[in-house]
Structure formats: C-alpha cells, structure tokens
Amino acid sequence: MTTHIIFDMNGVITDDEHCHEMATKEAFGTLGLNVSPDIYRTYCLGRTDVAAFTDLFNDFAIKQVDILSTIEKKTEIYLGLVEENLKIYPGVVECIQRLSSSYTLALTTSSTRVEVSSTLGLTGLTDTFDVILTAENVSKGKPDPEPYLLTLQELKAKASECMVIEDSENGIKSAKAAGIRCLAIPNTETIDKLALADGIFHNYSELTKELFDSL
C-alpha cells in the first residue's frame, strides 16, 4: 500500500526547465560553448548541475574556469529568470495539497537548495514536504539510484510503500533502480522516453488513491 509520495520538482511541479536551459546556455556562452537544445537534453535534463557540467567540461574540453564558478553563475542567472518567468503546471499545487492530507510527501530534485527554496517559496509549497533532498545531498545524481535511496532513508520507509512522480527519463531510471514504483507525466519528454515508468498520466487530477493502489 502506498503511504509515501515522492515528487520531482522541475518538470513536475515547476514549469521552469526553460529557465534552467536559458541559464545554462548563458553561463556556457561566456565560455565559448553554444548549448543547443539537443546538448541540453542529453547532458542536463533530470541531472544535477555538478554531474552535467562535469561532463560538458570534459567532453567539450573547457578549461578556462572551474565548474563550481560556472554553476554559481548559472544559479544566479536562473534565480533572476524564475522570479519573473516561473510557471506552475495547472492543477499540481492543488494536487499536492490534496495528497498531503493522506500521504507523507517528499521532494527529490536535482536542483540546488537555493533554487528549491526560491521556487517553493513562489509556489506556496514550502512547508508541504516532510523530506526535501537536493543536489547537495548526493554524490551521484539521477539516473543513479542514490537520490531516491537516500529519500527512503530520510522517510524511514520501504520502497514498496512509496510512489515517485517524475517527468524525465533519468528520473525514472533513478526511481526504478531504487526499487520504487514510478508514475510519469510527459511535460518535458516524449512518451517513448518514459517507457520504464509503471504508468503515464496527463492530468494531476488522475493522481488518486485508486491509481496508486492499482500499481
């Protein structure tokens, strides 16, 4: 029986992937790398900045600056963008508030804590999650299972008691590798990229006890 629901943030709650992409593109533009949509999706979607930027630095032989300063620059740009451009997926806030009365909720995201603090403040969901795990808490980000395994530890819950809500292929791989059932919404990926999920949903009103118990 599902007693805990673990949400991803970017692409599930906040429609801000475009802000992350714009910030990443601008940060790397100063280093002479044009981060195209294909490059962003391949390297960054659903991953921590540390993991994504490390691969970008290595694969494109960027040596002028260090990775952490580039992450700081990207975060600075992102925070400015979301303050003016943050969008919330229709129905998701109401869905989370509804589920919080019946389930223990957690948030497991590849974003940094400062990004999470800013975006949750803008959504009004700051105090809704019992556990929040961010990029700083992991040594290996999604698709590695570590983020969701650590979330299980913090929740003191079994994998069989949990359901993950994801939007990205990397996020689904992480959840499934941790042994947790996963539902996916095609907000940022095409449905074929979500094939490993236990189910696909298209509207947050579909997230009900009946659905969770059927999987």
Side-chain angles (χ1 to χ4, degrees):
M1 183 175 68
T2 301
T3 54
H4 301 69
I5 302 174
I6 309 170
F7 282 85
D8 178 41
M9 187 177 76
N10 309 105
V12 172
I13 300 172
T14 53
D15 183 6
D16 61 346
E17 201 62 57
H18 62 294
C19 294
H20 281 284
E21 184 171 354
M22 290 168 62
T24 300
K25 184 178 180 66
E26 185 172 337
F28 276 91
T30 63
L31 305 179
L33 175 63
N34 177 28
V35 177
S36 67
D38 284 345
I39 289 176
Y40 181 81
R41 190 208 169 278
T42 300
Y43 285 86
C44 304
L45 194 60
R47 304 181 70 202
T48 65
D49 287 342
V50 171
F53 285 23
T54 297
D55 287 347
L56 284 168
F57 267 63
N58 289 336
D59 290 356
F60 293 93
I62 298 171
K63 299 177 181 179
Q64 303 98 308
V65 297
D66 64 90
I67 292 171
L68 290 181
S69 66
T70 306
I71 291 174
E72 290 173 0
K73 180 64 176 176
K74 177 259 177 176
T75 299
E76 178 185 351
I77 297 167
Y78 167 83
L79 292 175
L81 289 171
V82 294
E83 191 170 351
E84 298 292 334
N85 298 283
L86 182 66
K87 299 176 183 177
I88 310 300
Y89 286 104
V92 68
V93 171
E94 294 81 3
C95 171
I96 290 171
Q97 291 171 339
R98 168 173 54 83
L99 294 175
S100 69
S101 64
S102 302
Y103 299 91
T104 299
L105 302 186
L107 185 72
T108 301
T109 175
S110 298
S111 291
T112 64
R113 187 157 295 275
V114 67
E115 290 171 346
V116 171
S117 177
S118 175
T119 53
L120 286 186
L122 292 169
T123 64
L125 294 172
T126 301
D127 300 320
T128 308
F129 298 97
D130 293 89
V131 168
I132 296 177
L133 189 139
T134 67
E136 290 88 346
N137 300 119
V138 300
S139 58
K140 296 180 180 179
K142 303 172 185 178
D144 191 272
E146 183 184 9
Y148 284 113
L149 290 174
L150 289 176
T151 303
L152 291 179
Q153 291 179 20
E154 291 295 318
L155 288 170
K156 297 180 174 59
K158 299 176 182 177
S160 60
E161 298 171 329
C162 298
M163 183 71 71
V164 166
I165 311 299
E166 269 285 357
D167 70 297
S168 73
E169 183 177 22
N170 283 326
I172 295 168
K173 287 180 178 179
S174 177
K176 298 299 291 183
I180 311 174
R181 293 164 296 160
C182 181
L183 290 169
I185 187 166
N187 284 336
T188 61
E189 300 257 40
T190 55
I191 289 179
D192 62 295
K193 297 292 185 181
L194 310 178
L196 289 177
D198 294 280
I200 305 292
F201 69 100
H202 299 271
N203 190 297
Y204 291 95
S205 63
E206 298 173 44
L207 297 182
T208 63
K209 183 179 187 299
E210 289 73 24
L211 176 59
F212 298 146
D213 291 346
S214 70
L215 298 172

